[in-house]
Amino acid sequence: MDAFGGLGKKTTSRGFNRATQGIRQTGSASKPLTVLVPGIDKKIFTASTIFDDKQTNFIDRKKENYAPTNNSGYLGKITVRRAIESSQNIPFVEMIEKISPNTSIKYLEKMGITTLTEEDNNLALALGGLDKGISPLEMAGAYSMLANDRSIY
């Protein structure tokens, strides 16, 4: 394995670094960072707040229809805690609608995320649907802020 996590013999010095340069879509791994941190910090919802997990059509900032689905079906009225456990998508989109994608972006930037674009300012942000993505190093840094109980404000 080469020094940067690839397979095979190291052939270059200072080559592609997957930790810092490997920008990837985050998917559901970003839900706590994009939705829960700002929503709980602003006291918009708590772990026991109830959302209705049902097929829902949302209108995004471009006034277009946005209809996310769940991989495991719909659970009806559930708490935020249950939505996290089963990674239900609809409640997270409802939550980011309440806090606004713009607020979420401000929080992510305070957590050290540098790869966000204007295209990320939409409801899909709640589900990790990003224009570019985030590097593993920045994701780890954002989560370490939570693990170390650091406030961003």
Side-chain angles (χ1 to χ4, degrees), residues 52-105:
D52 197 0
D53 181 35
K54 64 180 183 179
Q55 187 173 2
T56 307
N57 290 320
F58 298 91
I59 303 299
D60 70 11
R61 72 183 178 112
K62 295 179 181 178
K63 305 294 185 223
E64 295 173 355
N65 191 39
Y66 179 57
T69 59
N70 292 328
N71 287 334
S72 59
Y74 301 98
L75 302 177
K77 295 195 182 294
I78 59 172
T79 63
V80 169
R81 181 178 285 110
R82 178 70 176 111
I84 297 164
E85 290 170 1
S86 57
S87 194
Q88 298 302 106
N89 290 333
I90 305 304
F92 278 93
V93 177
E94 289 179 29
M95 286 183 253
I96 203 167
E97 201 174 43
K98 288 185 180 298
I99 62 173
S100 89
N102 191 50
T103 297
S104 182
I105 286 172

Side-chain angles (χ1 to χ4, degrees), residues 23-147:
I23 308 301
R24 299 284 184 264
Q25 294 296 315
T26 61
S28 291
S30 65
K31 287 177 180 176
L33 302 173
T34 59
V35 178
L36 297 180
V37 168
I40 292 171
D41 185 58
K42 290 188 161 290
K43 296 177 179 31
I44 295 172
F45 48 80
T46 68
S48 61
T49 303
I50 295 175
F51 287 92
D52 197 0
D53 181 35
K54 64 180 183 179
Q55 187 173 2
T56 307
N57 290 320
F58 298 91
I59 303 299
D60 70 11
R61 72 183 178 112
K62 295 179 181 178
K63 305 294 185 223
E64 295 173 355
N65 191 39
Y66 179 57
T69 59
N70 292 328
N71 287 334
S72 59
Y74 301 98
L75 302 177
K77 295 195 182 294
I78 59 172
T79 63
V80 169
R81 181 178 285 110
R82 178 70 176 111
I84 297 164
E85 290 170 1
S86 57
S87 194
Q88 298 302 106
N89 290 333
I90 305 304
F92 278 93
V93 177
E94 289 179 29
M95 286 183 253
I96 203 167
E97 201 174 43
K98 288 185 180 298
I99 62 173
S100 89
N102 191 50
T103 297
S104 182
I105 286 172
K106 288 178 184 174
Y107 272 76
L108 290 168
E109 288 172 343
K110 289 278 188 181
M111 290 181 225
I113 306 300
T114 62
T115 53
L116 300 171
T117 70
E118 180 56 35
E119 291 300 311
D120 293 324
N121 190 358
N122 64 61
L123 298 177
L125 177 63
L127 309 180
L130 301 168
D131 183 35
K132 292 181 180 178
I134 300 174
S135 75
L137 185 64
E138 287 187 357
M139 278 293 282
Y143 268 103
S144 73
M145 181 214 74
L146 295 178

